[in-house]
Amino acid sequence: MDRLALVVPCYNEEAVLEISAKELKRVLEDLIGKEKIAKDSFILFVNDGSKDRTWELIEKEYQASSLVYGLKLAGNVGHQFALTAGLLAAKDLCDIAVSIDADLQDDTAVIEEMVDLYHEGKDIVYGVRNDRKKDSWFKRTTAQGFYKVMAAMGVKTVYNHADFRLMSKRALEYFSKFEETNLFLRGMVPLIGYETDCVYYERKERVAGESKYPLKKMLSLAWNGITSFSVKPISLITGLGVLIIILSICAAIYAFLSYFFGTVEPGWTSLILSIWFLGGVQLIAIGMIGQYIGKIYIEVKHRPRYNVETLLTHEKE
């Protein structure tokens, strides 16, 4: 039977970790009892530089159960890096990995369905929300707009899918070849290929604690996703430049005809507005290009994406 790893990134999850550990152990025990996964399957909690008692609780769970492993990063590197660290650490210890957040908003009941699809030959199974009724109107609207923008930019993503997914060992092996620093897993995983499928579920409320993805981080993730996978924003700026040139020519023709027929009126308002407009367009263009140059600068330095301080396992020597 195949060995399953549940990879759980954690940042300041003191309030929810014991509840999460209990629920995820129940899931593993149920699947082991049904002989769908190996008895040495495990949960890998990844501590992303938490400032509370998260790592202390992970150590406690590790000591109390052979189903719990722990990975401690030497500082906070962010959700995408922490999840990547967990997946790559689990890669050599498992045959299947399922990533899920510690808040248990993703439905653990569909993990069995993911495993069943894996046994049918699927290498990647995406957990997809079937609705967003529990989200606020603002979050629901912006999230749906994000997926539409990504599609318009030519970025391949799975609609209403976050980071709740199953990956086979060979999918993890191929994923390990992605070495970029600007991580956006929702766009990277579909590039792996192989046979995929989806399971659908209703997203729950957080069991405890607070969301670690406020609006600022959500916008940052969205912007990183767009600029990491598409150069269309630069093309749009080029198109805007062409449009402004055409409008300028039209304005020049209008001004010439007005002067020729003696209908021109003195005034600087239109001139000042046009200068401000062009200045704003130029600043946006420079800033957009600067974003891409900044990403190139970060990538070419090839700095380590994270530093693993401690890895707790029950592996036999």
Side-chain angles (χ1 to χ4, degrees):
M1 287 181 285
D2 294 304
R3 192 180 191 190
L4 171 65
L6 299 178
V7 180
V8 189
C10 305
Y11 177 67
N12 292 344
E13 298 291 1
E14 175 184 357
V16 76
L17 196 133
E18 290 179 326
I19 302 171
S20 299
K22 182 179 179 181
E23 170 62 17
L24 294 174
K25 283 188 287 185
R26 185 199 62 77
V27 171
L28 285 186
E29 289 166 353
D30 181 55
L31 291 173
I32 291 170
K34 293 178 180 178
E35 297 187 344
K36 292 189 175 184
I37 59 174
K39 293 181 179 179
D40 56 353
S41 297
F42 60 92
I43 307 162
L44 177 61
F45 287 106
V46 182
N47 181 42
D48 182 23
S50 299
K51 299 177 182 178
D52 59 5
R53 295 175 57 246
T54 296
W55 180 245
E56 181 183 332
L57 294 175
I58 292 173
E59 288 182 310
K60 179 181 176 182
E61 293 291 340
Y62 164 76
Q63 293 166 2
S65 174
S66 61
L67 294 175
V68 177
Y69 289 18
L71 187 150
K72 183 181 182 183
L73 299 178
N76 176 246
V77 293
H79 179 270
Q80 298 289 283
F81 289 99
L83 179 52
T84 299
L87 290 172
L88 296 185
K91 173 176 66 71
D92 298 324
L93 304 174
C94 70
D95 302 296
I96 329 164
V98 173
S99 56
I100 185 170
D101 289 338
D103 56 22
L104 295 185
Q105 287 187 274
D106 299 315
D107 190 0
T108 57
V110 301
I111 292 177
E112 181 176 357
E113 190 177 346
M114 289 179 167
V115 173
D116 289 339
L117 287 169
Y118 163 77
H119 287 144
E120 292 175 10
K122 312 299 181 184
D123 282 282
I124 301 172
V125 182
Y126 299 102
V128 180
R129 305 180 195 182
N130 54 19
D131 66 67
R132 286 183 171 269
K133 293 178 182 177
K134 289 185 172 61
D135 290 343
S136 65
W137 175 87
F138 178 78
K139 186 173 182 180
R140 182 169 60 251
T141 303
T142 53
Q144 292 172 345
F146 165 72
Y147 287 109
K148 291 177 181 178
V149 169
M150 292 294 282
M153 293 292 174
V155 183
K156 186 179 179 181
T157 57
V158 178
Y159 188 72
N160 272 345
H161 163 71
D163 288 302
F164 181 34
R165 69 178 73 87
L166 175 147
M167 298 176 69
S168 68
K169 189 176 186 68
R170 72 169 183 163
L172 289 171
E173 290 286 357
Y174 192 82
F175 172 69
S176 68
K177 297 178 181 179
F178 289 77
E179 298 181 349
E180 61 253 50
T181 302
N182 297 288
L183 295 179
F184 183 67
L185 300 189
R186 301 177 202 183
M188 293 168 65
V189 174
L191 296 177
I192 294 174
Y194 298 143
E195 196 166 352
T196 67
D197 208 333
C198 297
V199 297
Y200 298 88
Y201 66 97
E202 184 177 347
R203 191 165 169 83
K204 305 175 183 178
E205 299 288 349
R206 274 187 70 94
V207 176
E210 299 178 352
S211 172
K212 306 306 183 296
Y213 257 96
L215 177 61
K216 183 180 179 180
K217 284 191 176 182
M218 289 296 294
L219 291 175
S220 177
L221 178 66
W223 179 248
N224 187 51
I226 292 170
T227 54
S228 295
F229 282 85
S230 176
V231 295
K232 281 193 176 181
I234 294 180
S235 300
L236 291 175
I237 289 176
T238 303
L240 180 60
V242 173
L243 177 62
I244 291 174
I245 290 173
I246 293 172
L247 292 176
S248 299
I249 293 172
C250 292
I253 294 173
Y254 173 77
F256 174 77
L257 293 175
S258 297
Y259 178 79
F260 182 78
F261 290 104
T263 59
V264 66
E265 296 181 6
W268 293 95
T269 303
S270 58
L271 177 62
I272 295 300
L273 288 176
S274 63
I275 291 173
W276 286 356
F277 176 71
L278 290 174
V281 170
Q282 290 173 343
L283 289 175
I284 291 173
I286 293 171
M288 184 74 72
I289 296 169
Q291 287 285 323
Y292 282 93
I293 293 173
K295 286 183 178 293
I296 296 170
Y297 173 68
I298 292 171
E299 291 289 349
V300 298
K301 288 189 289 186
H302 293 296
R303 289 179 178 172
R305 296 183 291 190
Y306 51 81
N307 180 19
V308 176
E309 181 176 333
T310 306
L311 177 61
L312 304 176
T313 72
H314 295 286
E315 300 298 302
K316 296 179 181 179
E317 296 294 337

